[in-house]
Amino acid sequence: MTQTAARPPNTPVEVHDNILGAIGNTPIVRLNRVVEGVGARVFAKLEFMNPGGSIKDRIGAWLLEDAERRGVLRPGGLVVEGTGGNTGIGLAMAAAVKGYECVFTVPDKMSEVKIKVLRSLGARVVVTPTVPPSDPRNYCNEARRIAAARPGSVYIDQYNNLANREYHYRHTGPEIIRQLPQVDVLVAGLGTGGTLCGTGRALKEYRPDIRVIGVDPYGSVLHEAYRTGVMGTPAPYLIEGIGKDCIPSNIDFGLIDDVVRVGDRESFLMTRSLLRREGIYAGVSSGAAVVGASRWIRGAGAHLSGQTVVVILPDSGSRYVTKAYDDEWMAAQGLLDEEPEVGEGRPSDD
Ligand code: PMP
């Protein structure tokens, strides 16, 4: 299962009709140095190996086809979405193949690289202030308004469109079971919740004792909502793509066995460690997911030794060259001190 040698160059590769055929079937690799001593075998599913650089390529094509099937997207139509960037890139890639125009609303906290990539894909990007859903300037509210104002347009709504988690139930879950049938634990960050809840449902149908663990940044309301049923007050944080200030419909708390909290600093530092100690060039929510996995494994205790944990690494480090991989930016944010041990950092009550 684990290979130490590189894949021989003459391994047959598939040929696809267009770029969308190259989505999925991403590699799983074992993590070694960054999880040393945590007490379980930890594997990373490298979603940045998708052609648009993130797990959101998977739902980009799928959600467009869902809209086509429902008859709300027709030739010449306009695709509108509120996105942290990656879903927009996945949608724009599929729209390029299928010939649709796109408009995306993106909160201003998101990395400028994602915005540049969206514009390079031919999309119109409206940058909105990073404000809660109750504020009319919020990116999702803005997207809804843009779609309502233009006939022939569709608001994709990745947060509440259940086709999102359906994709992961039908595809990402079975893919993991094929690759790593001995999987015991799935760990993924919660954004829309589509990845964790769709994949998790497939894994639990395969083996009901598989545990499904969500990762949520300090400042997001999801951890508290999961634990207490009460939605607390959101606070700002720097990690992109995970955490939320409301509860998306794609999140099914009944399916989740635990939610672990992670801090900005430990997540950014782990992202850099993944590159320097594992050679894995991933984004900040990937670092956050590895911190969360380590914390949960340590908290779960000795019975996890020998168990197989799969952590989803959602996007590529290339999206964060001006942030996590820029020492000046890191220092200016106060994030560049001594690196903590795995799972250390801000104390957790988990
Ligand atoms: N990480 C990144 C970088 C993302 O863009 C997203 C999507 N918002 C996630 C994690 C979380 O995935 P999901 O929306 O499926 O919960």
Side-chain angles (χ1 to χ4, degrees):
M1 172 197 34
T2 46
Q3 287 177 304
T4 46
R7 189 174 11 177
N10 62 351
T11 305
V13 290
E14 290 172 59
V15 175
H16 305 285
D17 286 340
N18 60 54
I19 192 70
L20 306 182
I23 294 170
N25 287 315
T26 53
I28 292 181
V29 303
R30 186 161 181 180
L31 298 181
N32 298 290
R33 296 177 66 203
V34 299
V35 291
E36 216 173 327
V38 300
R41 301 184 317 144
V42 183
F43 294 83
K45 187 153 174 67
L46 307 185
E47 287 299 310
F48 56 79
M49 300 289 284
N50 281 300
S54 92
I55 192 162
K56 294 296 190 162
D57 295 351
R58 293 177 179 268
I59 62 160
W62 178 262
L63 293 179
L64 285 198
E65 278 155 22
D66 171 68
E68 288 171 341
R69 270 192 302 273
R70 289 188 284 123
V72 291
L73 182 61
R74 297 192 192 87
L78 175 72
V79 175
V80 183
E81 179 63 321
T83 168
N86 285 327
T87 300
I89 294 167
L91 286 168
M93 190 172 71
V97 171
K98 291 169 172 287
Y100 296 113
E101 275 181 67
C102 297
V103 179
F104 300 117
T105 58
V106 182
D108 58 6
K109 104 169 210 183
M110 300 304 168
S111 100
E112 64 196 73
V113 177
K114 289 182 193 155
I115 294 169
K116 281 190 174 148
V117 175
L118 286 173
R119 290 193 168 128
S120 305
L121 276 156
R124 185 157 79 82
V125 179
V126 178
V127 179
T128 64
T130 303
V131 290
S134 54
D135 188 315
R137 297 167 304 159
N138 172 275
Y139 71 123
C140 292
N141 297 333
E142 182 70 36
R144 233 178 248 113
R145 252 195 318 275
I146 291 169
R150 173 147 157 198
S153 61
V154 58
Y155 172 47
I156 296 291
D157 195 5
Q158 57 172 324
Y159 294 100
N160 301 304
N161 181 346
L162 298 184
N164 172 356
R165 69 181 186 199
E166 184 72 16
Y167 171 90
H168 295 288
Y169 170 67
R170 290 200 198 191
H171 299 287
T172 316
E175 190 178 305
I176 292 173
I177 294 163
R178 266 197 314 276
Q179 289 174 297
L180 204 56
Q182 65 273 48
V183 55
D184 296 300
V185 182
L186 170 73
V187 181
L190 285 166
T192 64
T195 303
L196 187 75
C197 295
T199 310
R201 186 176 148 217
L203 295 190
K204 280 186 182 277
E205 282 181 12
Y206 164 65
R207 249 190 38 229
D209 64 334
I210 291 179
R211 272 137 310 156
V212 171
I213 312 300
V215 176
D216 190 43
Y218 285 95
S220 161
V221 302
L222 299 176
H223 172 271
E224 193 178 338
Y226 171 76
R227 286 286 170 94
T228 67
V230 175
M231 227 177 69
T233 314
Y237 55 88
L238 294 169
I239 305 168
E240 297 176 34
I242 58 171
K244 205 67 191 115
D245 44 18
C246 59
I247 317 289
S249 306
N250 274 292
I251 295 187
D252 176 1
F253 280 144
L255 196 120
I256 299 175
D257 294 290
D258 205 354
V259 176
V260 189
R261 289 197 285 184
V262 296
D264 275 334
R265 183 173 174 277
E266 58 184 347
S267 299
F268 276 80
L269 293 180
M270 177 57 84
T271 305
R272 292 161 65 102
S273 290
L274 275 170
L275 184 53
R276 273 190 275 129
R277 299 172 76 194
E278 304 279 353
I280 295 176
Y281 191 37
V284 181
S285 70
S286 301
V290 174
V291 169
S294 303
R295 177 161 293 142
W296 187 80
I297 295 164
R298 285 184 197 281
H303 72 274
L304 270 185
S305 70
Q307 294 225 338
T308 299
V309 179
V310 174
V311 186
I312 306 287
L313 305 195
D315 75 351
S316 163
S318 61
R319 305 257 145 96
Y320 307 91
V321 275
T322 58
K323 289 188 165 182
Y325 296 107
D326 179 334
D327 288 356
E328 275 179 35
W329 184 90
M330 287 288 288
Q333 305 297 320
L335 297 171
L336 205 57
D337 298 318
E338 280 294 292
E339 298 201 8
E341 286 301 305
V342 162
E344 269 185 20
R346 190 165 167 173
S348 161
D349 62 355
D350 296 301

